[in-house]
Each structure stands twice: as C-alpha cells, then as structure tokens.
Amino acid sequence: GIQVEQSPPDLILQEGANSTLRCNFSDSVNNLQWFHQNPWGQLINLFYIPSGTKQNGRLSATTVATERYSLLYISSSQTTDSGVYFCAWRDGQNFVFGPGTRLSVLP
Amino acid sequence: GAGVSQSPSNKVTEKGKDVELRCDPISGHTALYWYRQSLGQGLEFLIYFQGNSAPDKSGLPSDRFSAERTGGSVSTLTIQRTQQEDSAVYLCASSLRWGYSSYNEQFFGPGTRLTVL
C-alpha cells in the first residue's frame, strides 16, 4: 500500500507563531483531506484538497499531486489549534489516515 | 440532522458480552464509514456503506464484528463476545456520496468510547 510520512510528528508552538505541517506520499493519492482531532477526540474536517490550494481563515492547504505531497499552513496559532492533525486519503475501497502531527500551542 | 451523531457516547462492558454501537449520519448522506481508534493510535478503517450495501467487509478485525445499515440512514456496528483488545473509540463518518470527488468529503461523529473489562 501507499506509505505516508507526516512531519513533524510533534510540534510545540508559542501562541501567535506560524507553522507548516506536511504529508509525503510514496504514490499518488485520491480524495486527500486534512482533519484536526481536538484534545477531546472530535475529528473536524479542515480541507478536502486533492490538488491546488484552499484557504479558510488562518488555515490554508496546498496539495501538489504530481510531487506527492500536501501542506497545511497554520498562521497566528491559537491554543485552540492544539490537537492532532491527520492527512487522509482513499486507497481503493479503504480510507487511510496518516500517523498524524501532534501540535501543542502554548499560551 | 445537523451533524453525525453516535450513541452511546461511552460504553463499559464485560468481556464476552455483545455490544451495539449506533451511528446517525448527516441527512441526505448516502455513504457511511466506521473507524476505530485505539488509545494513542491512529485511525483504522473498518467498513463503509453505499446506501445499505457494504461492498467490502475485509477491514473488519474479526468475524465477531458486523455492521448493517437500514433505510439508507442509521448504521449499527455490532461486536460479539467482546475482548479487551476491542477497547477503543469507534468513530463514524458520512459523506454525500461515495466516489472520487468532493462528494466524498467525510464528516465525523463524536465517537463511542468502548471499554471492555
């Protein structure tokens, strides 16, 4: 199956800082999405981003399908951004989630 | 409804008992998905439904697990003769359609935390 690396695995930021999270894939993927799992376990859909760039407030995402990676940008981070960020994609009949990046934003 | 709902939110059961977990998808969503997240682990895909049909059940961990969906809406995940390794958060998601398009965008419920003693 497709191998994915999410980097960094862990990230600690001071409130107000910017960050870039990355997913690298071993092959092209379909239906790429980014999710945020908050500290209470709720998974929140951030972006459906099979290609191109999208922005939503302080967050934006870019997928370069030909280069097999996707980036999630968080600007002016807030403590509520803490949690785990997953990229996910469709692999045949299955959906696969990457290992995640655990983000802690300190006040 | 406004979002995906799941019940119960928490379930504690004894080893060997059967449990049923329920998922109510977003109204109008024809595709429904079940995932499992063990403590500190990533998400494991279990099964999906297109309407009432589950084309591929190979993601279910064992034959003690089964799932059904009726009326193209509510889905039930049943675990028979529960084992301690079944302890996890079971998450349900729905999407407008199944396919290679934005209709495949998934929205998650709050999950059911299952603890098998």
PDB file of all heavy atoms in Angstrom, chain A residues 32-47:
ATOM      1  N   LEU A  32      -7.745  13.473  -1.055  1.00  0.00           N
ATOM      2  CA  LEU A  32      -6.973  13.884   0.108  1.00  0.00           C
ATOM      3  C   LEU A  32      -7.764  14.858   0.976  1.00  0.00           C
ATOM      4  O   LEU A  32      -8.382  15.803   0.474  1.00  0.00           O
ATOM      5  CB  LEU A  32      -5.660  14.543  -0.324  1.00  0.00           C
ATOM      6  CG  LEU A  32      -4.776  14.885   0.866  1.00  0.00           C
ATOM      7  CD1 LEU A  32      -4.067  13.646   1.354  1.00  0.00           C
ATOM      8  CD2 LEU A  32      -3.797  15.983   0.529  1.00  0.00           C
ATOM      9  N   GLN A  33      -7.746  14.618   2.276  1.00  0.00           N
ATOM     10  CA  GLN A  33      -8.383  15.513   3.234  1.00  0.00           C
ATOM     11  C   GLN A  33      -7.432  15.760   4.395  1.00  0.00           C
ATOM     12  O   GLN A  33      -6.594  14.916   4.711  1.00  0.00           O
ATOM     13  CB  GLN A  33      -9.664  14.895   3.803  1.00  0.00           C
ATOM     14  CG  GLN A  33     -10.831  14.856   2.835  1.00  0.00           C
ATOM     15  CD  GLN A  33     -12.118  14.414   3.498  1.00  0.00           C
ATOM     16  OE1 GLN A  33     -12.656  13.354   3.247  1.00  0.00           O
ATOM     17  NE2 GLN A  33     -12.642  15.264   4.371  1.00  0.00           N
ATOM     18  N   TRP A  34      -7.615  16.906   5.037  1.00  0.00           N
ATOM     19  CA  TRP A  34      -6.931  17.216   6.285  1.00  0.00           C
ATOM     20  C   TRP A  34      -7.974  17.295   7.390  1.00  0.00           C
ATOM     21  O   TRP A  34      -9.039  17.891   7.215  1.00  0.00           O
ATOM     22  CB  TRP A  34      -6.191  18.553   6.201  1.00  0.00           C
ATOM     23  CG  TRP A  34      -4.874  18.493   5.497  1.00  0.00           C
ATOM     24  CD1 TRP A  34      -4.629  18.760   4.177  1.00  0.00           C
ATOM     25  CD2 TRP A  34      -3.603  18.166   6.063  1.00  0.00           C
ATOM     26  NE1 TRP A  34      -3.291  18.613   3.898  1.00  0.00           N
ATOM     27  CE2 TRP A  34      -2.639  18.253   5.045  1.00  0.00           C
ATOM     28  CE3 TRP A  34      -3.177  17.808   7.353  1.00  0.00           C
ATOM     29  CZ2 TRP A  34      -1.287  17.993   5.261  1.00  0.00           C
ATOM     30  CZ3 TRP A  34      -1.833  17.558   7.563  1.00  0.00           C
ATOM     31  CH2 TRP A  34      -0.900  17.646   6.526  1.00  0.00           C
ATOM     32  N   PHE A  35      -7.631  16.689   8.536  1.00  0.00           N
ATOM     33  CA  PHE A  35      -8.506  16.696   9.702  1.00  0.00           C
ATOM     34  C   PHE A  35      -7.731  17.200  10.912  1.00  0.00           C
ATOM     35  O   PHE A  35      -6.524  16.993  11.027  1.00  0.00           O
ATOM     36  CB  PHE A  35      -9.010  15.290  10.027  1.00  0.00           C
ATOM     37  CG  PHE A  35      -9.954  14.708   9.026  1.00  0.00           C
ATOM     38  CD1 PHE A  35      -9.481  13.932   7.981  1.00  0.00           C
ATOM     39  CD2 PHE A  35     -11.319  14.929   9.135  1.00  0.00           C
ATOM     40  CE1 PHE A  35     -10.347  13.388   7.052  1.00  0.00           C
ATOM     41  CE2 PHE A  35     -12.196  14.378   8.206  1.00  0.00           C
ATOM     42  CZ  PHE A  35     -11.710  13.609   7.176  1.00  0.00           C
ATOM     43  N   HIS A  36      -8.482  17.805  11.829  1.00  0.00           N
ATOM     44  CA  HIS A  36      -7.944  18.161  13.129  1.00  0.00           C
ATOM     45  C   HIS A  36      -8.711  17.356  14.169  1.00  0.00           C
ATOM     46  O   HIS A  36      -9.955  17.392  14.190  1.00  0.00           O
ATOM     47  CB  HIS A  36      -8.119  19.664  13.389  1.00  0.00           C
ATOM     48  CG  HIS A  36      -7.761  20.095  14.764  1.00  0.00           C
ATOM     49  ND1 HIS A  36      -8.457  21.069  15.445  1.00  0.00           N
ATOM     50  CD2 HIS A  36      -6.770  19.692  15.596  1.00  0.00           C
ATOM     51  CE1 HIS A  36      -7.909  21.250  16.636  1.00  0.00           C
ATOM     52  NE2 HIS A  36      -6.881  20.435  16.746  1.00  0.00           N
ATOM     53  N   GLN A  37      -7.987  16.618  15.002  1.00  0.00           N
ATOM     54  CA  GLN A  37      -8.617  15.930  16.124  1.00  0.00           C
ATOM     55  C   GLN A  37      -8.295  16.717  17.389  1.00  0.00           C
ATOM     56  O   GLN A  37      -7.127  16.797  17.790  1.00  0.00           O
ATOM     57  CB  GLN A  37      -8.139  14.483  16.251  1.00  0.00           C
ATOM     58  CG  GLN A  37      -8.941  13.684  17.281  1.00  0.00           C
ATOM     59  CD  GLN A  37      -8.686  12.204  17.221  1.00  0.00           C
ATOM     60  OE1 GLN A  37      -7.571  11.762  16.985  1.00  0.00           O
ATOM     61  NE2 GLN A  37      -9.723  11.402  17.415  1.00  0.00           N
ATOM     62  N   ASN A  38      -9.326  17.301  17.962  1.00  0.00           N
ATOM     63  CA  ASN A  38      -9.086  18.170  19.114  1.00  0.00           C
ATOM     64  C   ASN A  38      -8.782  17.319  20.359  1.00  0.00           C
ATOM     65  O   ASN A  38      -8.907  16.088  20.330  1.00  0.00           O
ATOM     66  CB  ASN A  38     -10.244  19.139  19.329  1.00  0.00           C
ATOM     67  CG  ASN A  38     -11.536  18.456  19.726  1.00  0.00           C
ATOM     68  OD1 ASN A  38     -11.537  17.331  20.241  1.00  0.00           O
ATOM     69  ND2 ASN A  38     -12.650  19.119  19.483  1.00  0.00           N
ATOM     70  N   PRO A  39      -8.350  17.949  21.437  1.00  0.00           N
ATOM     71  CA  PRO A  39      -7.972  17.177  22.639  1.00  0.00           C
ATOM     72  C   PRO A  39      -9.127  16.346  23.213  1.00  0.00           C
ATOM     73  O   PRO A  39      -8.881  15.464  24.030  1.00  0.00           O
ATOM     74  CB  PRO A  39      -7.505  18.263  23.608  1.00  0.00           C
ATOM     75  CG  PRO A  39      -7.013  19.370  22.730  1.00  0.00           C
ATOM     76  CD  PRO A  39      -7.951  19.366  21.552  1.00  0.00           C
ATOM     77  N   TRP A  40     -10.347  16.597  22.819  1.00  0.00           N
ATOM     78  CA  TRP A  40     -11.484  15.812  23.282  1.00  0.00           C
ATOM     79  C   TRP A  40     -11.831  14.685  22.318  1.00  0.00           C
ATOM     80  O   TRP A  40     -12.811  13.987  22.513  1.00  0.00           O
ATOM     81  CB  TRP A  40     -12.699  16.737  23.481  1.00  0.00           C
ATOM     82  CG  TRP A  40     -12.412  17.741  24.543  1.00  0.00           C
ATOM     83  CD1 TRP A  40     -12.604  17.642  25.881  1.00  0.00           C
ATOM     84  CD2 TRP A  40     -11.797  19.029  24.324  1.00  0.00           C
ATOM     85  NE1 TRP A  40     -12.166  18.776  26.514  1.00  0.00           N
ATOM     86  CE2 TRP A  40     -11.672  19.641  25.598  1.00  0.00           C
ATOM     87  CE3 TRP A  40     -11.348  19.710  23.204  1.00  0.00           C
ATOM     88  CZ2 TRP A  40     -11.107  20.911  25.766  1.00  0.00           C
ATOM     89  CZ3 TRP A  40     -10.793  20.973  23.361  1.00  0.00           C
ATOM     90  CH2 TRP A  40     -10.681  21.559  24.632  1.00  0.00           C
ATOM     91  N   GLY A  41     -11.052  14.525  21.275  1.00  0.00           N
ATOM     92  CA  GLY A  41     -11.225  13.404  20.367  1.00  0.00           C
ATOM     93  C   GLY A  41     -12.067  13.661  19.143  1.00  0.00           C
ATOM     94  O   GLY A  41     -12.159  12.799  18.264  1.00  0.00           O
ATOM     95  N   GLN A  42     -12.696  14.819  19.059  1.00  0.00           N
ATOM     96  CA  GLN A  42     -13.552  15.099  17.904  1.00  0.00           C
ATOM     97  C   GLN A  42     -12.703  15.367  16.667  1.00  0.00           C
ATOM     98  O   GLN A  42     -11.779  16.181  16.706  1.00  0.00           O
ATOM     99  CB  GLN A  42     -14.450  16.307  18.188  1.00  0.00           C
ATOM    100  CG  GLN A  42     -15.314  16.736  17.006  1.00  0.00           C
ATOM    101  CD  GLN A  42     -16.386  15.725  16.656  1.00  0.00           C
ATOM    102  OE1 GLN A  42     -17.149  15.287  17.500  1.00  0.00           O
ATOM    103  NE2 GLN A  42     -16.451  15.328  15.388  1.00  0.00           N
ATOM    104  N   LEU A  43     -13.052  14.675  15.589  1.00  0.00           N
ATOM    105  CA  LEU A  43     -12.381  14.883  14.307  1.00  0.00           C
ATOM    106  C   LEU A  43     -13.126  15.940  13.517  1.00  0.00           C
ATOM    107  O   LEU A  43     -14.324  15.807  13.267  1.00  0.00           O
ATOM    108  CB  LEU A  43     -12.345  13.591  13.507  1.00  0.00           C
ATOM    109  CG  LEU A  43     -11.127  12.719  13.706  1.00  0.00           C
ATOM    110  CD1 LEU A  43     -11.395  11.313  13.236  1.00  0.00           C
ATOM    111  CD2 LEU A  43      -9.928  13.290  12.978  1.00  0.00           C
ATOM    112  N   ILE A  44     -12.409  16.949  13.112  1.00  0.00           N
ATOM    113  CA  ILE A  44     -13.014  18.059  12.395  1.00  0.00           C
ATOM    114  C   ILE A  44     -12.394  18.140  11.008  1.00  0.00           C
ATOM    115  O   ILE A  44     -11.170  18.157  10.855  1.00  0.00           O
ATOM    116  CB  ILE A  44     -12.793  19.378  13.162  1.00  0.00           C
ATOM    117  CG1 ILE A  44     -13.446  19.273  14.539  1.00  0.00           C
ATOM    118  CG2 ILE A  44     -13.357  20.563  12.376  1.00  0.00           C
ATOM    119  CD1 ILE A  44     -12.933  20.266  15.527  1.00  0.00           C
ATOM    120  N   ASN A  45     -13.262  18.177  10.035  1.00  0.00           N
ATOM    121  CA  ASN A  45     -12.844  18.249   8.650  1.00  0.00           C
ATOM    122  C   ASN A  45     -12.301  19.647   8.355  1.00  0.00           C
ATOM    123  O   ASN A  45     -13.008  20.632   8.534  1.00  0.00           O
ATOM    124  CB  ASN A  45     -14.067  17.939   7.786  1.00  0.00           C
ATOM    125  CG  ASN A  45     -13.758  17.842   6.324  1.00  0.00           C
ATOM    126  OD1 ASN A  45     -12.640  18.106   5.907  1.00  0.00           O
ATOM    127  ND2 ASN A  45     -14.746  17.487   5.553  1.00  0.00           N
ATOM    128  N   LEU A  46     -11.057  19.733   7.936  1.00  0.00           N
ATOM    129  CA  LEU A  46     -10.478  21.040   7.639  1.00  0.00           C
ATOM    130  C   LEU A  46     -10.570  21.367   6.146  1.00  0.00           C
ATOM    131  O   LEU A  46     -11.068  22.418   5.765  1.00  0.00           O
ATOM    132  CB  LEU A  46      -9.015  21.086   8.092  1.00  0.00           C
ATOM    133  CG  LEU A  46      -8.756  20.926   9.580  1.00  0.00           C
ATOM    134  CD1 LEU A  46      -7.256  20.914   9.852  1.00  0.00           C
ATOM    135  CD2 LEU A  46      -9.438  22.021  10.381  1.00  0.00           C
ATOM    136  N   PHE A  47     -10.034  20.471   5.347  1.00  0.00           N
ATOM    137  CA  PHE A  47      -9.998  20.711   3.906  1.00  0.00           C
ATOM    138  C   PHE A  47     -10.170  19.397   3.146  1.00  0.00           C
ATOM    139  O   PHE A  47      -9.628  18.378   3.539  1.00  0.00           O
ATOM    140  CB  PHE A  47      -8.643  21.306   3.469  1.00  0.00           C
ATOM    141  CG  PHE A  47      -8.366  22.680   3.977  1.00  0.00           C
ATOM    142  CD1 PHE A  47      -7.510  22.880   5.042  1.00  0.00           C
ATOM    143  CD2 PHE A  47      -8.953  23.787   3.371  1.00  0.00           C
ATOM    144  CE1 PHE A  47      -7.248  24.145   5.512  1.00  0.00           C
ATOM    145  CE2 PHE A  47      -8.698  25.061   3.834  1.00  0.00           C
ATOM    146  CZ  PHE A  47      -7.842  25.242   4.909  1.00  0.00           C
TER     147      PHE A  47
END
